[in-house]
Amino acid sequence: MTSVTRRQLLVGATALIFATAAAGCSTPSTTGGDSAGGSEITFLTFETPNLTPAYWDAAIKRVTDKYPDVKVKKLVSPTADGRTDYAKQLLQSGQFPDVMVGLSPAGFAESGNLYAWSESELKDFTFPTANPIRGKYYQLPANTQTIPPVYYNTKVFADHGITAPPKDWAGLLEVCEKLKSAGVTPFVTGGGKDAFASSMLLTGIVSVDVYGKTPDWLSKRRAGTVKFSDPDFTAALAKFADLAQRGYIQKSDVSRDYAATEQAFLDGKGAMYPMGNWFAASADAKQRNDIGVFNFPSADGRTVVPAYTGGGMVVSAKAKNLDAAKRFALAFQLDKAQLDSSVKADGLIPAVKNYTPPADAGPVFKAGYDLYQQAVADKAVVHGFRWETADDGLLPGMAAKVDAVAQDLTTGRKTPAAAAAYLDAEWAKAGS
């Protein structure tokens, strides 16, 4: 089976926590009625242009309609990509949520703060053994995301005589040069408070070039048998830096947050957009008929598709109403209406047995979905570098360091060799 199958992604004062929450996130809300006589749980979510407050409220209501005794207090992370750090802050202040979605379980699980799902509780998921941490499974493997395919503006391509998306790295560079020579920015990337957008291209390069040859590279890094400063990884960093040096990535993009980055691509401020398959939902919601998608290209044209299966609910092992928290999490993740909603709202590929996407799923989603299914059939799926969340993933805190490296390589503040040395040094700190 594919590697997806095998792996299947401090604040000291309470007053400061409250200040952070008040300044950066929505006011907590309770869904499901008065908590009196029921089992109240807290649920930490995050918001994006796709995952709006209305999306979460409707999803919560579907569960509480089924289980009226469960009352849900919704919490919202101050930033979409900072939800894991926010959960750490809440844990330290004694306010750890009962249920959380889309955060990295690493660190929380090892310290005994997360509930370990049983085999029977995972029986309905396609990849029930995804993301093991010390032999146990703490995060529901609810969906698969390809990270990143490359979305492109078909009209811009056609206007500049590009008749098909590139099949290999040399072809990608040719497309980039043709666009840049015509005054078109080849890639739209981002950064700012949503730093993950700055490392999407780096994720693709490492996943395809490094993991494509050594699928368990990050496990080897954890074992200490490889380093970021080894030639293959440094070459991937250099390949990314070369895109910036050629002007195919704009240095100023690293200050642009995720919502603005997506909008820049939709507004035609660049021809290509490396992003997780969740972007398909946004494109389809806007009924765009000028957006195509292709697999991140390899040097020799071989298909290698980075993906991550996981991202689902985790439950606090110390939840006051543990049964209610577990019922809420499983009902949320397995509900057919919710799965269909996640496809349409966020372009997710549900990793639930016997699930098929709704017939009215949009064309951009369907195109990416077909690319993924073909990669699965070809056994061409690898980890999405930076997005792994288990024993074969980055050490806690390292994803932010990868994002920082991507920004430094984009702006020229670091050379590839210096970036590799920095990652090795930060890895040593994270593991100490």
Side-chain angles (χ1 to χ4, degrees), residues 254-290:
V254 300
S255 64
R256 185 167 53 198
D257 68 15
Y258 173 57
T261 299
E262 178 179 290
Q263 193 60 49
F265 175 67
L266 292 170
D267 290 344
K269 294 181 180 178
M272 292 179 284
Y273 183 41
M275 185 49 63
N277 61 270
W278 53 82
F279 169 70
S282 182
D284 286 330
K286 294 173 174 60
Q287 299 184 328
R288 296 290 293 260
N289 59 8
D290 58 350

Side-chain angles (χ1 to χ4, degrees), residues 184-314:
V184 177
T185 300
F187 285 110
V188 173
T189 59
K193 66 183 178 66
D194 304 309
F196 72 92
S198 62
S199 61
M200 277 291 175
L201 279 166
L202 183 58
T203 287
I205 293 170
V206 172
S207 301
V208 170
D209 288 5
V210 179
Y211 291 3
K213 293 185 295 183
T214 311
D216 60 345
W217 190 92
L218 205 47
S219 294
K220 292 179 182 294
R221 183 65 189 87
R222 281 189 168 235
T225 59
V226 298
K227 292 184 176 182
F228 295 106
S229 53
D230 288 349
D232 57 347
F233 199 96
T234 302
L237 294 173
K239 199 170 182 178
F240 175 79
D242 181 61
L243 294 176
Q245 291 166 2
R246 291 171 182 252
Y248 301 157
I249 310 170
Q250 298 294 314
K251 295 180 180 180
S252 58
D253 281 7
V254 300
S255 64
R256 185 167 53 198
D257 68 15
Y258 173 57
T261 299
E262 178 179 290
Q263 193 60 49
F265 175 67
L266 292 170
D267 290 344
K269 294 181 180 178
M272 292 179 284
Y273 183 41
M275 185 49 63
N277 61 270
W278 53 82
F279 169 70
S282 182
D284 286 330
K286 294 173 174 60
Q287 299 184 328
R288 296 290 293 260
N289 59 8
D290 58 350
I291 295 175
V293 57
F294 60 91
N295 288 326
F296 201 94
S298 62
D300 58 5
R302 180 170 59 98
T303 299
V304 181
V305 173
Y308 165 74
T309 294
M313 303 283 199
V314 296

Side-chain angles (χ1 to χ4, degrees), residues 334-359:
L334 295 173
D335 179 72
K336 177 65 165 62
Q338 171 55 24
L339 295 172
D340 289 349
S341 177
S342 71
V343 167
K344 295 179 181 179
D346 211 32
L348 302 181
I349 302 172
V352 173
K353 292 177 181 177
N354 302 316
Y355 177 81
T356 56

Side-chain angles (χ1 to χ4, degrees), residues 13 17 32 60 73 83 91 97 100 120 140 155-156 162-163 171 183 248 277 293 305 330 339 368 374 407:
I17 290 291
I60 292 168
K73 178 180 287 187
R83 52 193 180 268
L91 175 63
M100 293 148 280
S120 63
L140 293 176
K155 184 178 185 304
V156 171
I162 305 168
T163 58
Y248 301 157
N277 61 270
V293 57
V305 173
L330 286 167
L339 295 172
Q374 185 60 55
Q407 294 187 3

Side-chain angles (χ1 to χ4, degrees), residues 272-429:
M272 292 179 284
Y273 183 41
M275 185 49 63
N277 61 270
W278 53 82
F279 169 70
S282 182
D284 286 330
K286 294 173 174 60
Q287 299 184 328
R288 296 290 293 260
N289 59 8
D290 58 350
I291 295 175
V293 57
F294 60 91
N295 288 326
F296 201 94
S298 62
D300 58 5
R302 180 170 59 98
T303 299
V304 181
V305 173
Y308 165 74
T309 294
M313 303 283 199
V314 296
V315 169
S316 168
K318 302 170 185 176
K320 182 178 179 180
N321 295 303
L322 181 59
D323 177 70
K326 289 162 55 181
R327 281 190 291 136
F328 173 79
L330 286 167
F332 187 106
Q333 303 280 212
L334 295 173
D335 179 72
K336 177 65 165 62
Q338 171 55 24
L339 295 172
D340 289 349
S341 177
S342 71
V343 167
K344 295 179 181 179
D346 211 32
L348 302 181
I349 302 172
V352 173
K353 292 177 181 177
N354 302 316
Y355 177 81
T356 56
D360 60 347
V364 181
F365 171 83
K366 287 180 178 177
Y369 180 83
D370 288 346
L371 288 175
Y372 170 70
Q373 294 299 333
Q374 185 60 55
V376 170
D378 294 342
K379 298 183 178 180
V381 179
V382 298
H383 294 252
F385 169 67
R386 181 204 175 279
W387 295 85
E388 310 99 319
T389 60
D391 284 344
D392 54 3
L394 291 167
L395 293 177
M398 284 300 298
K401 307 304 180 184
V402 170
D403 296 339
V405 157
Q407 294 187 3
D408 286 345
L409 291 173
T410 298
T411 60
R413 288 193 295 263
K414 278 188 174 68
T415 65
Y422 168 80
L423 289 175
D424 280 330
E426 292 300 318
W427 184 274
K429 293 177 186 177

